[in-house]
Amino acid sequence: MQYFDIINLAYKTVISHKLRSILTALGMVIGIASVIVLTSIGRGVHAFVLTEFTQFGTNLIAVFPGKTTTLGLSGATISTVRPLSIADAISLGELENIIAALPLVQGNARIETGKKQRRTTVLGVGAAVPEIWKIKVARGRFLPKNEQANPRAFAVLGDKLAAQLFAKTSPLGQRIRIGNDRYRVLGVMEKKGQMMGFDMDDTVYIPTAKALEMFNRESVMEIDLLYNKNTQVKAIEKQISNLLQRRHGREDFSIITQDQMLKSMDSILNILTLAVAALGGISLLVGSVGILTIMTVAVSERISEIGLLRAVGAEKAMIFKLFLSEALVLSVIGGVIGIFLGIFIVQSIKFMVPGLPVQLAWGYICTAFIISLLIGVIAGVIPAIKAARLRPLEALRSE
Amino acid sequence: MMVRDTLSFSWTAIKTQPLRVILIVLAMSIGITSVTILTALGESARLYIVNEFQALGTNLIIVLPGRTETTGGQPPLFGATPRDLTLADANALYRSHHIAAIAPISVGAAPVSIRGLEREVTILGSTSALRRVRHLSLSKGHFLPEMDIDRTLSICVIGQTIKDELFARQQAVGQWLRINDRRFRVIGVLASEGQSIGVDFDDMVIVPVASAQALFNTQSLFRILVETKSKEGMYKAVDDIRELIKLRHEGEDDVTLITQDSVVNTFDEILVALTLTVASIASISLAVAGILVMNVMWVSVTQRTAEIGLLKALGATQRQILWLFLTEAAMVSIAGALSGLLLGKVILLILQVSYPEFPLYLPMWAVFSALAVALLTALIFGVLPARQAAKMNAVTALNKR
């Protein structure tokens, strides 16, 4: 018999038991489809989080006060005896290959205009915000350069804050009161939306020195540095570390590069996707037990057929191949339909819930298909061996 | 037919096909095992976190400086504010009748040194009330004494890690250490607490709050922890605090209040949702197992057509035949559920032995719902084949042979 004949025969047997085959394949379909849907969601979340992180660009380094800062917060961010100052930021900005430096203080205060007021986030920053954080100015301009040490009282509003305080009138050039000081509005930022649970639009940007004064602090909370893309992170890190050690006399700061953050993020998210895939894989496992069961049933039902085939000259290997390909046909049909169903569901999710990030994970889809093939082989092998081992005479007599 | 007869009949039917039945049981138990393990993990994580939050204190209210009106955003957890929360603010809160204890907190980082050994450490400024509010225990010496809130005193209580690092194998209590440029005498060592939600009391030095403020040259407090007298008084205390602070801050409502309740509830809800999601994803596999039950039942109905015909000829009603097959399906599923539960329990035990610090707990409702779901699956997926069997015409069925 040719391979074509074997597959043809297997296909016909599968078709002849319609209901049984449909149900068996259905198990596989559900398994494969759930793996595909779940990994697509995992991959979507992965991509979403990474873009959230990389929207600032990848050539960023953050310097924090205090030595023990991990990804969380250390006490040093709140207050420290060894402050990180604006002067530190300025001299870091003059380093070779550092494009811009941004000393950052974050706080909370009341913003007032003539009649309206709103309590919200105040960011003490430098002129480099549009460049480092990749936010554009919608109207007016951002804080002026070269006056970090002794700045004038200018403020730039986030999109939502501007809308809340000024409604339809133009805020440019207007006076506002932040805390107890008066500022002049210089510009309005474009809409940026939520970022890591932090509403970038409901903020006001003022010069760092002004913010330190208002909050009565010595130390900035963080210095963000943008470096030249074409240089080595390690070298830059070393440069920064050397400079600050010279200025402070000891290593009382921590440096976190965007690279490190991205790498740890990436590995966490990959594990997450894998875990979700495994969750869906449970169904696949159950589905494969289903194929195994049905093939066992099929062999015991068709003993006389096997006897006949052997009697007319089919060899053991032939019977083995016949049953194996039957299992394969079942699993491949199930696999292919499952893949289509999965992709269909993913596309409908994309269409119906646009907020949920989904992305087809082709790597996992291919793996799922290969696994469905493997399942066919593994689930088919034991019953096929059993069928091949039957002795023709007894098999024929069994009915 | 009696119930007993039905059971024994189904049992005989199962016995004749051991391999097939074992496979169905296997499929069922994979599903049940994964559902139980995942529910147990989720439920244990929930209990763990809720316990952690409850261990923070009882009837706790946290007062943060600053307030945002951004809807849905997070509270201003660590930002600075133009008007600080001060020690005088903290003291004023005692005017509320519902408040039992107040622990003002000031936090910062500073180098701690002794004889050339130096370490950058989180310094926590507070009062004697902190011990009560946060349920801290000491391994040696005393905690901060009761004294005026605004008095500086050069004494400190150190965490276990600090003790091990700076006073390895020697008495720490009574010794002097240097925090930045000031000297403090160690009066107590905290018992090891381990990490509790991001706050590592082991790696911390606690000093009187006024001393910490002097050290960091600031007037402001990071937080005020308030313990209320009763759970019922909590919401009244929240109103009181808001009023008192408003009075002191020229009529401005510029603090954020977080009650322990609301934090615990939020986490509780999130984790319950998470557990349910994961468990329901795992229970897709139960549906697959159900389809398998249906499939095999169908096969066995076709194979036993003659038998059904005979039973009908002997006077069995449709209802009896239906129940005969349903019982078979149910028996197989329950066997699957039980073995799944057993396997799940074993795996949980192994996990528990390998990770003793994370208490695992399999809730009773999960056990019962696993059994119920398995039974339900069998009945739902078994009913179609069983009905087919029941509806067979006695004569044609008998003719089959």
Side-chain angles (χ1 to χ4, degrees):
Chain A
M1 254 199 287
Q2 307 267 306
Y3 275 97
F4 177 76
D5 292 332
I6 294 181
I7 290 179
N8 198 20
L9 190 59
Y11 178 71
K12 279 195 180 132
T13 338
V14 168
I15 286 295
S16 70
H17 289 94
K18 267 206 192 70
L19 187 63
R20 188 193 294 181
S21 304
I22 288 173
L23 286 177
T24 316
L26 188 60
M28 289 294 294
V29 169
I30 294 176
I32 298 269
S34 61
V35 168
I36 288 177
V37 172
L38 289 170
T39 50
S40 298
I41 294 175
R43 186 53 62 87
V45 170
H46 187 162
F48 176 74
V49 172
L50 284 194
T51 33
E52 282 274 283
F53 259 86
T54 47
Q55 60 182 339
F56 291 162
T58 48
N59 46 337
L60 272 184
I61 292 181
V63 183
F64 296 92
K67 191 61 209 131
T68 47
T69 314
T70 40
L71 283 182
L73 284 172
S74 96
T77 309
I78 300 141
S79 40
T80 175
V81 295
R82 291 170 174 177
L84 211 52
S85 64
I86 296 180
D88 286 333
I90 294 174
S91 73
L92 281 175
E94 283 159 3
L95 275 176
E96 198 188 345
N97 285 326
I98 298 276
I99 300 171
L102 178 69
L104 175 69
V105 184
Q106 188 247 77
N108 173 276
R110 185 173 61 171
I111 327 280
E112 278 174 83
T113 60
K115 310 165 219 78
K116 291 186 181 163
Q117 60 165 31
R118 187 172 173 85
R119 297 203 63 90
T120 190
T121 312
V122 176
L123 294 173
V125 293
V129 165
E131 196 178 353
I132 295 188
W133 288 356
K134 310 272 189 288
I135 311 179
K136 290 200 189 77
V137 183
R139 280 172 286 167
R141 57 197 174 87
F142 203 74
L143 302 173
K145 282 197 169 110
N146 300 326
E147 48 178 64
Q148 281 189 326
N150 199 7
R152 286 170 285 172
F154 287 137
V156 176
L157 303 178
D159 177 75
K160 187 171 173 187
L161 185 64
Q164 287 284 344
L165 290 179
F166 292 97
K168 289 195 183 90
T169 58
S170 168
L172 298 186
Q174 301 279 353
R175 287 191 174 281
I176 57 171
R177 185 186 280 277
I178 304 173
N180 293 320
D181 304 323
R182 286 154 69 81
Y183 290 80
R184 188 180 288 281
V185 177
L186 216 51
V188 177
M189 304 306 278
E190 66 171 10
K191 215 172 168 58
K192 186 79 178 177
Q194 291 261 333
M195 201 166 53
M196 301 281 145
F198 184 83
D199 191 348
M200 292 295 281
D201 296 332
D202 202 2
T203 50
V204 58
Y205 303 84
I206 60 174
T208 317
K210 285 279 171 199
L212 286 179
E213 203 175 292
M214 173 164 75
F215 298 137
N216 189 19
R217 289 176 57 100
E218 285 175 77
S219 173
V220 301
M221 289 175 175
E222 175 181 340
I223 299 178
D224 288 343
L225 299 167
L226 186 71
Y227 64 87
N228 197 334
K229 261 194 191 114
N230 306 321
T231 42
Q232 285 286 317
V233 195
K234 283 269 174 279
I236 300 245
E237 223 181 312
K238 187 132 185 89
Q239 236 181 335
I240 294 168
S241 178
N242 285 344
L243 177 83
L244 283 179
Q245 284 196 36
R246 252 203 329 277
R247 290 180 62 91
H248 293 198
R250 57 185 112 200
E251 198 179 344
D252 55 358
F253 50 88
S254 326
I255 300 174
I256 294 179
T257 66
Q258 184 88 343
D259 262 23
Q260 290 166 351
M261 293 275 277
L262 281 179
K263 268 190 197 124
S264 53
M265 243 348 147
D266 196 52
S267 59
I268 291 173
L269 289 166
N270 275 333
I271 291 173
L272 204 74
T273 311
L274 195 65
V276 196
L279 216 55
I282 299 169
S283 309
L284 208 53
L285 187 63
V286 176
S288 59
V289 174
I291 293 193
L292 179 60
T293 318
I294 291 306
M295 287 312 295
T296 321
V297 170
V299 171
S300 65
E301 261 182 0
R302 276 151 53 196
I303 291 181
S304 57
E305 185 188 324
I306 296 166
L308 187 64
L309 277 172
R310 291 295 305 270
V312 297
E315 301 201 358
K316 273 188 178 179
M318 184 70 65
I319 304 286
F320 177 79
K321 276 183 207 158
L322 203 61
F323 276 88
L324 194 60
S325 36
E326 206 177 309
L328 260 177
V329 166
L330 271 176
S331 64
V332 167
I333 290 179
V336 170
I337 297 177
I339 287 171
F340 279 111
L341 182 69
I343 292 176
F344 175 73
I345 293 175
V346 168
Q347 298 299 350
S348 351
I349 290 178
K350 226 183 230 169
F351 183 70
M352 289 195 292
V353 204
L356 190 73
V358 286
Q359 201 178 66
L360 286 174
W362 287 105
Y364 278 104
I365 293 176
C366 291
T367 320
F369 183 69
I370 293 170
I371 286 178
S372 75
L373 277 182
L374 276 180
I375 285 171
V377 173
I378 294 169
V381 129
I382 298 172
I385 289 177
K386 206 168 144 195
R389 281 214 187 124
L390 284 176
R391 309 213 353 222
L393 220 63
E394 281 164 25
L396 261 178
R397 206 187 289 145
S398 76
E399 186 73 344
Chain B
M1 253 198 295
M2 310 230 303
V3 178
R4 232 187 102 186
D5 293 332
T6 316
L7 286 177
S8 77
F9 188 87
S10 303
W11 175 237
T12 328
I14 287 171
K15 265 200 305 193
T16 53
Q17 299 286 356
L19 184 61
R20 201 182 290 178
V21 171
I22 287 173
L23 286 174
I24 304 181
V25 167
L26 177 67
M28 206 55 152
S29 61
I30 292 172
I32 295 282
T33 307
S34 51
V35 172
T36 20
I37 290 178
L38 290 169
T39 325
L41 285 181
E43 187 67 11
S44 309
R46 185 183 73 86
L47 282 180
Y48 182 76
I49 288 183
V50 167
N51 277 340
E52 286 277 283
F53 271 104
Q54 265 153 5
L56 284 186
T58 30
N59 307 330
L60 203 63
I61 302 173
I62 304 166
V63 186
L64 316 177
R67 185 166 69 90
T68 63
E69 287 171 42
T70 311
T71 39
Q74 53 188 17
L77 285 179
F78 72 104
T81 45
R83 183 166 9 229
D84 303 323
L85 267 182
T86 60
L87 283 178
D89 288 333
N91 241 349
L93 296 184
Y94 274 114
R95 268 185 247 158
S96 165
H97 301 300
H98 304 286
I99 289 175
I102 294 169
I105 288 189
S106 159
V107 173
V112 172
S113 59
I114 175 170
R115 280 183 236 108
L117 288 172
E118 191 185 271
R119 195 179 158 82
E120 172 112 4
V121 171
T122 305
I123 310 291
L124 192 86
S126 195
T127 62
S128 59
L130 180 72
R131 184 175 180 193
R132 164 177 180 174
V133 172
R134 280 297 308 263
H135 303 312
L136 297 174
S137 47
L138 290 166
S139 72
K140 283 228 172 62
H142 306 280
F143 198 69
L144 301 176
E146 295 224 13
M147 57 181 195
D148 281 345
I149 202 167
D150 50 2
R151 219 179 115 202
T152 60
L153 210 57
S154 293
I155 50 174
C156 67
V157 177
I158 61 177
Q160 198 66 45
T161 312
I162 309 274
K163 197 226 157 235
D164 294 344
E165 292 283 325
L166 296 180
F167 300 100
R169 281 191 234 123
Q170 39 173 317
Q171 179 79 8
V173 175
Q175 304 258 28
W176 289 85
L177 51 74
R178 190 180 282 280
I179 304 180
N180 199 29
D181 53 354
R182 288 155 200 261
R183 298 206 325 140
F184 287 80
R185 200 159 65 90
V186 179
I187 58 163
V189 179
L190 290 176
S192 183
E193 300 259 337
Q195 279 261 348
S196 100
I197 321 188
V199 183
D200 188 1
F201 272 101
D202 291 350
D203 199 1
M204 214 174 253
V205 172
I206 303 177
V207 299
V209 61
S211 307
Q213 289 190 327
L215 192 66
F216 297 117
N217 185 23
T218 171
Q219 295 293 314
S220 63
L221 291 174
F222 177 55
R223 279 157 184 30
I224 302 176
L225 301 181
V226 176
E227 185 181 321
T228 57
K229 283 182 182 149
S230 64
K231 209 172 176 87
E232 297 74 45
M234 202 133 144
Y235 294 96
K236 288 192 184 119
V238 167
D239 294 340
D240 284 355
I241 294 170
R242 216 171 258 298
E243 272 313 304
L244 287 167
I245 300 277
K246 209 167 165 178
L247 221 63
R248 296 185 50 83
H249 286 190
E250 294 160 18
E252 214 185 317
D253 183 12
D254 61 356
V255 289
T256 303
L257 299 179
I258 301 176
T259 58
Q260 196 181 4
D261 269 28
S262 61
V263 178
V264 171
N265 284 347
T266 314
F267 273 90
D268 206 34
E269 276 164 26
I270 291 173
L271 285 163
V272 166
L274 203 70
T275 308
L276 285 182
T277 313
V278 172
S280 45
I281 291 173
S283 57
I284 295 175
S285 63
L286 281 179
V288 178
I291 292 173
L292 178 60
V293 170
M294 178 153 144
N295 209 353
V296 170
M297 289 303 293
W298 229 303
V299 170
S300 94
V301 169
T302 22
Q303 280 182 347
R304 279 150 64 189
T305 310
E307 188 185 322
I308 296 166
L310 187 62
L311 279 171
K312 285 213 146 180
L314 288 173
T317 59
Q318 284 203 6
R319 177 173 288 269
Q320 280 169 343
I321 305 269
L322 184 79
W323 275 111
L324 222 54
F325 279 89
L326 277 185
T327 316
E328 197 181 321
M331 276 167 108
V332 173
S333 309
I334 288 180
L338 286 177
S339 57
L341 277 175
L342 200 70
L343 187 63
K345 203 80 186 153
V346 169
I347 294 176
L348 283 178
L349 266 177
I350 295 171
L351 280 178
Q352 184 68 92
V353 173
S354 4
Y355 300 100
E357 67 275 13
F358 182 70
L360 283 171
Y361 154 83
L362 179 60
M364 261 338 251
W365 60 261
V367 174
F368 284 119
S369 55
L371 282 173
V373 166
L375 195 59
L376 207 67
T377 319
L379 293 184
I380 290 171
F381 286 96
V383 88
L384 275 179
R387 272 194 35 200
Q388 197 197 24
K391 288 235 173 90
M392 269 181 194
N393 187 305
V395 182
T396 22
L398 264 177
N399 259 347
K400 266 279 163 67
R401 182 143 280 236

